[in-house]
Amino acid sequence: MCSFYKFQAMNSVLQEIFENNKPFGGVSVITVDKVTTLYYCNADVDAFNNLFLAVSPNEKIVSRALDSCSGTKSRATITYMLSQAQKLQHKKTQNMQYLLKLCVKTKYIVSHNIAVPDGISNGSPCILKKVIYGQLCEKNSRERIPIRAYVQFEKESTGEKTRQRLQNIIKADGITEKNWTPIQRICRSFSLNENTHIQVTRNQLPLLPSNAQTIHCSQSCTYDNILVFLNKTLSRKLLYTACSRVTSLSGLYLSGIYKKPARATLENDPSLREMTRMRNEAQLHLVH
């Protein structure tokens, strides 16, 4: 359920965004317990997640990335490249946000393949439980920053080997919950553009807020409740992908104007063309 204080905060933020005093800024608000919202584009996803984190009454922390630059010795170039890297969307920075907003008891996904055999892979859903501060073993670095995030995965078996391997760290952090898994900071490198050999290396926690996701990112997941925001650009395939993420029809919610997608034909559907080709040209002839 949504508390009175969360409704009050949501009302204030929406009124500020839409610059009017109407309840919730004049937009419709739907509240569903433990719902995941699916959008077509990243901009809508980021806006929703930022709004959700802004109105949450839970503890909030901002984890700032530590960036370094290689491929040049020019101080001016390094300063410029690092300042530009801070402005990039996470899709262009190996899914590593410069300012990662952390909020306990909130849904996140792992943004990289951390331990695939252990089930901790890109897109793994989890709930943030606790953030541990500390110092990185870097020269001249005395700043206390978020160095570990403890999360709880949907399946208790996910992260089991990682918890065993890092049991000394878990004990030192004072964590007693058996199914909380530590996610540590990692480093990933990226270029600002294809025409430069200069690379930026980012050190950050590999997590992304996931109360809202794009339909593309949700393809490997299933949820008890989803809210799909309909868009004129949604194709039949995307609409099917979005609506099939839910475990039952009672947990499916649609927002917007539904427009029946065009009927699949051989001309506009490559999957139908391939199925037709296989049916006509690639049938197995079994001999009994």
Side-chain angles (χ1 to χ4, degrees):
M1 293 181 65
C2 241
S3 69
F4 165 77
Y5 298 103
K6 181 176 285 190
F7 268 119
Q8 195 174 46
M10 190 183 302
N11 179 54
S12 299
V13 172
L14 288 172
Q15 286 177 341
E16 182 179 349
I17 290 174
F18 293 101
E19 299 180 345
N20 65 59
N21 294 322
K22 295 179 181 180
F24 301 104
V27 300
S28 299
V29 176
I30 301 174
T31 60
V32 183
D33 187 36
K34 297 181 180 179
V35 66
T36 296
T37 308
L38 300 183
Y39 285 98
Y40 172 70
C41 64
N42 288 306
D44 290 334
V45 168
D46 292 340
F48 182 95
N49 283 325
N50 287 334
L51 174 61
F52 187 94
L53 294 174
V55 303
S56 173
N58 299 322
E59 177 189 3
K60 300 183 183 71
I61 301 128
V62 175
S63 174
R64 181 176 60 84
L66 301 178
D67 290 349
S68 59
C69 194
S70 61
T72 179
K73 295 182 178 180
S74 169
R75 283 189 173 275
T77 302
I78 291 174
T79 301
Y80 172 78
M81 298 295 279
L82 293 180
S83 66
Q84 292 300 304
Q86 296 176 15
K87 302 174 185 178
L88 294 177
Q89 296 293 320
H90 63 82
K91 289 294 181 181
K92 297 183 179 180
T93 61
Q94 296 279 352
N95 277 335
M96 303 274 275
Q97 294 185 335
Y98 178 69
L99 294 177
L100 173 61
K101 298 177 182 178
L102 299 171
C103 184
V104 297
K105 300 180 182 178
T106 301
K107 291 189 286 187
Y108 286 80
I109 58 171
V110 178
S111 62
H112 280 273
N113 292 327
I114 304 299
V116 176
D118 202 17
I120 309 176
S121 58
N122 184 16
S124 297
C126 58
I127 303 293
L128 178 64
K129 292 296 185 179
K130 189 178 181 63
V131 176
I132 301 296
Y133 284 82
Q135 295 176 344
L136 293 181
C137 298
E138 292 187 354
K139 189 176 181 180
N140 300 325
S141 176
R142 296 183 178 181
E143 180 184 5
R144 287 180 60 79
I145 61 174
I147 59 171
R148 261 185 307 284
Y150 280 87
V151 303
Q152 182 176 347
F153 292 102
E154 293 180 345
K155 296 180 180 179
E156 191 172 341
S157 58
T158 301
E160 185 175 3
K161 295 178 182 178
T162 299
R163 294 192 292 271
Q164 292 175 356
R165 178 170 55 85
L166 300 177
Q167 57 183 327
N168 291 335
I169 291 177
I170 296 174
K171 184 177 180 180
D173 288 338
I175 304 299
T176 57
E177 286 75 6
K178 294 182 179 180
N179 57 348
W180 287 14
T181 304
I183 302 295
Q184 308 199 81
R185 295 176 79 104
I186 64 172
C187 292
R188 291 293 184 271
S189 298
F190 56 89
S191 298
L192 268 67
N193 58 66
E194 298 177 353
N195 300 321
T196 179
H197 63 281
I198 301 174
Q199 284 202 322
V200 174
T201 299
R202 174 159 293 177
N203 180 301
Q204 179 61 286
L205 291 168
L207 295 172
L208 291 173
S210 67
N211 283 284
Q213 294 185 34
T214 61
I215 296 172
H216 291 89
C217 289
S218 70
Q219 290 185 73
S220 61
C221 304
T222 53
Y223 306 97
D224 292 331
N225 296 301
I226 62 168
L227 172 60
V228 181
F229 274 82
L230 302 174
N231 186 299
K232 293 180 181 178
T233 57
L234 282 184
S235 64
R236 174 183 290 269
K237 291 180 288 185
L238 280 176
L239 189 59
Y240 170 80
T241 300
C243 294
S244 61
R245 297 309 91 205
V246 72
T247 53
S248 67
L249 283 177
S250 61
L252 175 62
Y253 300 85
L254 302 177
S255 178
I257 300 174
Y258 175 76
K259 182 181 179 181
K260 186 177 180 180
R263 184 180 180 84
T265 65
L266 291 176
E267 289 73 24
N268 65 17
D269 194 311
S271 300
L272 186 58
R273 285 200 299 270
E274 178 62 13
M275 290 175 64
T276 302
R277 185 197 68 80
M278 293 178 66
R279 189 177 294 113
N280 295 333
E281 303 175 14
Q283 287 196 29
L284 291 176
H285 298 284
L286 300 178
V287 177
H288 298 281

